[in-house]
Amino acid sequence: MAVALAVAPVVVDLVSSGWVVPLAVVAVLVALGGAAMLVARHFGDVYRQEALRRCGVDRLDHRRFEGLSGELLRRDGFRQVKVVGGAGDRGVDVLGVAPDGTPYALQCKYYTRKVGPGDVRDFVGALQARPYRDHRGVLVTSHSLTAQAAQTARDHDVIVIDRDRLADWLLGAYRLGPGSRSPAWLARLRRGTSGETPAAL
């Protein structure tokens, strides 16, 4: 009751000052903007799932997943792309040279579970070995990362292509290479899908 009595004069002042209509319009626009963002996120999720389904990502095996990553590198203009995964790969599955000459080393994790921090640390260790010290590290996975794994990737400047970003990569909305980033609107939409900020752009 006391709150209502305290608020009543403010409401009366707003009504008499002519601010009610503009404030109502602003409130409606904000509500519509929020609703549009939710709808866009939903359709973005559907679009990504369709891209993954059409590519048959969930029917691949480790070797074909590595091959897919190599093909996407070639599409992005990388040269000297080699799939080297297998016995004796020293923790790196795909190599390529970006258009600007920067060498990249990819580790591909075809998982049905989240990538853990130990997986990321192992990859960071592989990047410190002599053959890959000058390479930009990229972790590609068919799943997602735990929060701790994502933080470990950020701490070591490892680019992460998780399931959602893989779909964006397949769709051409994300490209790998120097200066290539997800568009700001796409990053904002992705941030809303899992409640976590992507590990690395």
Side-chain angles (χ1 to χ4, degrees):
M1 183 67 176
V3 173
L5 289 174
V7 171
V10 177
V11 173
V12 171
D13 285 345
L14 283 173
V15 171
S16 63
S17 68
W19 280 97
V20 172
V21 173
L23 287 175
V25 169
V26 170
V28 169
L29 290 176
V30 168
L32 288 175
M37 183 65 78
L38 290 175
V39 170
R41 283 177 182 167
H42 170 73
F43 282 110
D45 288 345
V46 171
Y47 200 41
R48 287 187 186 98
Q49 290 305 316
E50 179 64 14
L52 293 167
R53 186 192 67 77
R54 285 190 175 191
C55 190
V57 167
D58 293 329
R59 297 190 304 273
L60 299 177
D61 56 27
H62 296 278
R63 293 296 292 169
R64 288 191 291 171
F65 188 63
E66 293 166 2
L68 172 65
S69 298
E71 286 304 315
L72 289 169
L73 283 183
R74 290 186 185 96
R75 188 202 64 189
D76 284 356
F78 279 65
R79 308 179 313 275
Q80 300 173 31
V81 176
K82 297 177 186 175
V83 177
V84 296
D89 62 17
R90 299 187 183 184
V92 169
D93 298 313
V94 184
L95 296 169
V97 178
D100 74 340
T102 303
Y104 278 63
L106 280 64
Q107 185 176 74
C108 302
K109 294 292 187 186
Y110 189 73
Y111 281 1
T112 55
R113 61 168 176 83
K114 289 188 175 185
V115 175
D119 296 311
V120 179
R121 285 192 294 269
D122 288 346
F123 182 42
V124 170
L127 293 172
Q128 292 170 354
R130 181 173 297 168
Y132 308 124
R133 282 180 192 160
D134 61 341
H135 287 59
R136 189 80 167 89
V138 183
L139 179 68
V140 186
T141 180
S142 55
H143 207 280
S144 59
L145 278 70
T146 67
Q148 189 178 355
Q151 184 60 55
T152 302
R154 282 190 291 271
D155 291 345
H156 294 279
D157 199 27
V158 171
I159 297 171
V160 173
I161 299 179
D162 62 5
R163 186 175 180 86
D164 280 345
R165 183 167 291 154
L166 176 60
D168 295 336
W169 200 15
L170 289 165
L171 291 165
Y174 174 79
R175 293 179 65 84
L176 192 60
S180 298
R181 295 177 64 89
S182 295
W185 61 267
L186 183 61
R188 283 195 296 273
L189 287 180
R190 284 208 52 212
R191 196 172 296 124
T193 59
S194 64
E196 294 180 4
T197 303
L201 295 175

